[in-house]
Amino acid sequence: MAEELQSGIIRISDDVVATIAGLAALETPGIAAMSGGISEGLAKRLSGKNAQKGVSVEVGQLEAAIDLRIIVKYGIPIQEVCRQLQENVREAVANMTGLNVVEVNIKVEGVAFKEEEMAAAEQEAPARLK
């Protein structure tokens, strides 16, 4: 996004929009995790962009389109979770950037069971010193 004002131009990076969308997605009830490919996961781990895992964005002057790849929690209606996710991401990006979000596309790539969620949380949590 670029906006010309009397005092200069405001530009919002694709990475900023992707981070906002990723954080909004992770705050949505029923979402276990974001899903990224092996190469994407490695690249984002090395670059420190974990909040953007599973998020692709296209940002224009006034509009944005967002693609999300997610893993949902077992036992929760997928359609309801995805509708809520679309609404949360659209609202968060619009409120923080002023962009009109024209589409939020979701690809459900997996279902997480309780054991998988626990294992994923343990892997992401830093080791504690005793």
Side-chain angles (χ1 to χ4, degrees), residues 18-115:
T19 299
I20 293 167
L23 292 172
L26 291 173
E27 292 175 356
T28 302
I31 303 298
M34 301 301 290
S35 175
I38 294 172
S39 61
E40 178 189 13
L42 178 61
K44 290 192 175 175
R45 236 179 281 130
L46 293 175
S47 67
K49 296 182 179 179
N50 261 346
Q52 298 172 13
K53 179 181 173 186
V55 181
S56 302
V57 299
E58 291 181 41
V59 180
Q61 296 270 340
L62 303 171
E63 299 177 331
I66 302 167
D67 296 322
L68 302 169
R69 292 177 311 282
I70 62 168
I71 298 171
V72 297
K73 293 180 181 177
Y74 178 78
I76 305 218
I78 294 173
Q79 285 290 72
E80 291 177 23
V81 170
C82 290
R83 294 274 181 243
Q84 184 64 50
L85 174 59
Q86 286 174 318
E87 186 178 318
N88 290 354
V89 169
R90 182 174 279 116
E91 187 176 299
V93 171
N95 286 343
M96 292 187 73
T97 66
L99 291 168
N100 178 34
V101 180
V102 293
E103 59 186 34
V104 178
N105 301 309
I106 300 171
K107 181 177 182 185
V108 178
E109 293 192 339
V111 176
F113 300 96
K114 293 286 183 197
E115 299 83 36

